[in-house]
Amino acid sequence: MDDKNISQAVIGRLPRYLRYLGELKDSNVERISSQELSELMHVTASQIRQDFNNFGGFGQQGYGYKVNYLYDEIAKILGLNKTHHLIIIGAGNLGQALANYMNFERRGFHFKGIFDANEALYGKKIRDMYVQPMDDLITFVKDNDIDIAVLTIPKASAVKVAEQLVGCGVKAFWNFAHVDLNVPKDIVVENVHLSDSLMKLSYNINIKQMENE
Amino acid sequence: MDDKNISQAVIGRLPRYLRYLGELKDSNVERISSQELSELMHVTASQIRQDFNNFGGFGQQGYGYKVNYLYDEIAKILGLNKTHHLIIIGAGNLGQALANYMNFERRGFHFKGIFDANEALYGKKIRDMYVQPMDDLITFVKDNDIDIAVLTIPKASAVKVAEQLVGCGVKAFWNFAHVDLNVPKDIVVENVHLSDSLMKLSYNINIKQMENE
DNA sequence: TAGATTGTTAATCGATTAACAATC
DNA sequence: TAGATTGTTAATCGATTAACAATC
C-alpha cells in the first residue's frame, strides 16, 4: 500500500476500478477474476493484474480476487479511509454545486467553510455553511485545520489566494480556476479545467465528422 | 490540420497551449520560440515542436512561431471555429452552473435548452432558458439541431437518457454522471468524473505525507 | 552570409500487452 | 492431483526527449 512512485496513469485508473467493484459489491458478487473484470470494464486483464500488483498481491492464484477485500484495499490506497477538511473559495454556481454534492462527504471530504469576495453573498446559507468574507479566510483556515482548498474563483484571483493559503498550511488544491497555480512542490494540485475538457470534446467531434465524410 | 490519428495525449495538451498563447496575444507578444514557450509552460521544447508538427509546420526556421497565427491554428484544430448547439440534462446545481458559465458561449458552444425530471423546476428561468420537462426532450432535440448533450443527472438515469439522445441524432456527450455511457463508437463521449478527480487528489496528498515522514 | 530555430529522425524511456511459471 | 488464475518477467508498443540537418 505504501509503495513509491506509482505512475499517475495507474492512479488515474483506480477510481474506476473502485466504482466497478462497488457495483459488484452491491450485487453481492463475492469473487471476480481479472478476465471477468476486463470484459466488464473493457480493459485488458493484463493491465488489471499489473495495476493491482503495483501495490502487492490482492488476489489468490487459481481463484481470483475477493471483491470486498479488493474494494477496501483500493479505497485505502486512495486514502479514502482518511478524513479531510475542505473550504471552498468562490460561492458562485460551481462552488455551491460542489458544496451541495453529498457524495464527497460520504468519502471523508468534509466541507467546513465557503468564502466569497462578493458582499452580496455574505451570510447566505449553503447547506450548513454561511458564506464568509475573504477577510476571515486566513483565521478560519488556521482555526479549523483545513487541508484542502477548492478554488472556484476567477483565474485573476486564484494564484494569489493559493499563495496565501499555502502560507497558512493548506496542503492541497482542487483547482477549477483556469490557470496554473504556482505552489511549492510539496503541495498537491488537482486541476479540473472544464473548458479544456470541452475543447477535447470539440476536437473529437470534428475528427469523427471528417472520418465519416 | 486534418491529419489522422493524433494521440489523445497530444490533444489533451492543445487547450493549455491555447491558453498560454491567448495570454501572450493579450500581452501583444508577436513571436515566440519553442524554447521560450517551454520555459513559460514548464514542458520540453522538443515536445512543443513535436506536438505542433503533428499538424504540419506552424513555425519558421530561425524565427520561431507567430503567436497570433499559432493561436488561430490551434483553435481551428480544436474545432473552435465551429458552433455547437447544446442541451443540459439535469437542472441541479451543476447543470445551472454550466448553463451560466458565459465563456463556453464565446467559444461557440451555445446552450439551447435545459431539462429536468423534477416538476418543481419546470419553467424556472436559467439565463435565457426555462427548465423543460423530460417529455419534451426528444422533440426539442430534433427541432433545434442539437449536437451535444451535457449530462448532469444521477447515474441511474444517464445511460438510458444517452441512448434516447443517440436515437434522435445527438453526436456527443459531455458526461458528468458517474457512469460509463454505452454508446455506438461514432458517438463522442467526454467524461468529467469529479469524484475520480477528488480521489486522485486524495491519493497524492497521502503519498506526499508519507514521503515527508 | 552567419545565427537562430524549426522540422524531423534517432534514441530513450515508460506504459501496455503477452506469455508463462508459480501456486492456490 | 488437475485446473484455474494470479504474479511476474519478457516483448511490444507508443510517447517523450535528444540531436542535428534543413532552412529561414
Side-chain angles (χ1 to χ4, degrees):
Chain A
M1 180 202 148
D2 45 350
D3 295 39
K4 57 268 142 199
N5 257 78
I6 311 295
S7 87
Q8 290 292 313
V10 174
I11 304 312
R13 287 192 289 267
L14 294 184
R16 188 157 178 265
Y17 289 131
L18 195 73
R19 176 153 51 87
Y20 276 87
L21 290 166
E23 282 165 15
L24 290 166
K25 219 161 71 113
D26 291 345
S27 317
N28 296 309
V29 175
E30 263 187 33
R31 65 165 282 274
I32 192 156
S33 69
S34 57
Q35 179 60 33
E36 289 169 302
L37 193 55
S38 90
E39 282 159 19
L40 205 56
M41 296 183 64
H42 300 109
V43 297
T44 65
S46 198
Q47 181 167 72
I48 290 174
R49 293 204 299 277
Q50 286 280 23
D51 282 351
F52 293 167
N53 267 85
N54 279 300
F55 308 97
F58 292 150
Q60 286 167 254
Q61 278 143 323
Y63 175 85
Y65 300 88
K66 287 198 168 142
V67 171
N68 273 289
Y69 174 70
L70 187 54
Y71 179 92
D72 290 344
E73 287 302 311
I74 293 178
K76 255 190 271 175
I77 292 165
L78 288 169
L80 301 180
N81 51 336
K82 313 265 171 75
T83 60
H84 296 281
H85 295 171
L86 294 82
I87 48 167
I88 296 173
I89 322 288
N93 283 295
L94 184 57
Q96 292 187 35
L98 296 174
N100 280 301
Y101 193 61
M102 301 300 279
N103 283 348
F104 300 144
E105 295 281 337
R106 288 198 302 107
R107 292 296 195 185
F109 300 95
H110 300 294
F111 291 109
K112 292 293 181 182
I114 183 163
F115 294 81
D116 204 290
N118 178 3
E119 289 183 31
L121 292 169
Y122 296 168
K124 180 177 177 180
K125 192 174 185 185
I126 295 170
R127 217 210 276 164
D128 56 349
M129 299 175 289
Y130 295 92
V131 178
Q132 299 179 64
M134 293 296 284
D135 288 343
D136 298 353
L137 181 59
I138 303 292
T139 314
F140 187 90
V141 168
K142 288 177 179 163
D143 290 353
N144 291 274
D145 201 23
I146 302 300
D147 60 338
I148 303 177
V150 184
L151 302 181
T152 52
I153 44 178
K155 62 177 173 176
S157 39
V159 175
K160 207 189 66 204
V161 171
E163 275 168 24
Q164 288 181 323
L165 289 168
V166 169
C168 52
V170 166
K171 289 278 162 278
F173 293 93
W174 200 19
N175 178 36
F176 290 77
H178 201 209
V179 67
D180 295 322
L181 303 181
N182 189 13
V183 294
K185 68 178 189 322
D186 60 317
I187 303 296
V188 176
V189 177
E190 171 76 20
N191 291 308
V192 180
H193 292 328
L194 293 178
S195 55
D196 290 14
S197 170
L198 194 51
M199 288 181 195
K200 275 195 279 174
L201 179 68
S202 172
Y203 172 86
N204 285 314
I205 292 175
N206 237 358
I207 288 294
K208 287 268 164 71
Q209 231 142 41
M210 292 190 301
E211 281 171 3
N212 297 338
E213 266 161 20
Chain B
M1 178 203 152
D2 44 352
D3 295 36
K4 57 269 144 198
N5 257 79
I6 312 295
S7 87
Q8 290 293 312
V10 174
I11 303 311
R13 287 191 290 266
L14 294 183
R16 188 157 178 266
Y17 289 131
L18 195 73
R19 176 152 53 87
Y20 276 86
L21 290 167
E23 281 165 15
L24 289 166
K25 218 161 70 113
D26 291 346
S27 316
N28 297 308
V29 177
E30 263 187 31
R31 64 165 283 273
I32 192 156
S33 69
S34 58
Q35 179 60 32
E36 291 169 300
L37 193 56
S38 91
E39 282 159 20
L40 205 56
M41 297 183 64
H42 300 110
V43 297
T44 64
S46 198
Q47 180 167 74
I48 291 174
R49 294 204 299 279
Q50 285 281 21
D51 281 353
F52 293 167
N53 267 87
N54 279 302
F55 308 98
F58 292 151
Q60 287 167 251
Q61 278 143 325
Y63 175 84
Y65 300 88
K66 287 198 169 141
V67 171
N68 273 290
Y69 174 70
L70 187 53
Y71 179 92
D72 290 344
E73 287 302 309
I74 293 178
K76 256 192 269 173
I77 291 165
L78 289 169
L80 301 179
N81 51 336
K82 312 265 171 76
T83 59
H84 295 282
H85 295 171
L86 295 82
I87 49 168
I88 296 173
I89 321 288
N93 283 295
L94 184 57
Q96 292 187 35
L98 297 173
N100 279 301
Y101 194 60
M102 302 300 280
N103 283 348
F104 301 145
E105 297 279 337
R106 289 197 303 106
R107 293 296 195 184
F109 300 95
H110 301 293
F111 291 109
K112 291 295 182 181
I114 183 163
F115 294 81
D116 205 290
N118 178 3
E119 288 183 33
L121 291 169
Y122 295 168
K124 180 177 179 182
K125 192 174 184 184
I126 295 170
R127 216 211 276 166
D128 56 349
M129 299 176 289
Y130 295 92
V131 178
Q132 298 178 64
M134 294 296 282
D135 288 343
D136 298 352
L137 181 59
I138 303 294
T139 314
F140 186 90
V141 168
K142 288 177 179 163
D143 290 353
N144 290 274
D145 201 23
I146 302 300
D147 60 338
I148 302 177
V150 184
L151 302 181
T152 51
I153 43 178
K155 63 176 172 178
S157 39
V159 176
K160 206 189 68 205
V161 171
E163 276 169 22
Q164 288 181 324
L165 289 169
V166 168
C168 52
V170 166
K171 288 279 163 278
F173 293 92
W174 201 18
N175 179 37
F176 290 78
H178 202 209
V179 67
D180 294 322
L181 303 181
N182 189 13
V183 294
K185 70 178 187 324
D186 62 317
I187 302 296
V188 177
V189 177
E190 171 76 20
N191 291 308
V192 180
H193 292 328
L194 293 178
S195 55
D196 290 14
S197 171
L198 194 51
M199 287 181 195
K200 275 194 279 176
L201 179 69
S202 172
Y203 172 86
N204 285 314
I205 292 174
N206 236 0
I207 288 295
K208 286 268 164 70
Q209 231 141 41
M210 292 189 303
E211 281 170 4
N212 296 338
E213 264 161 22

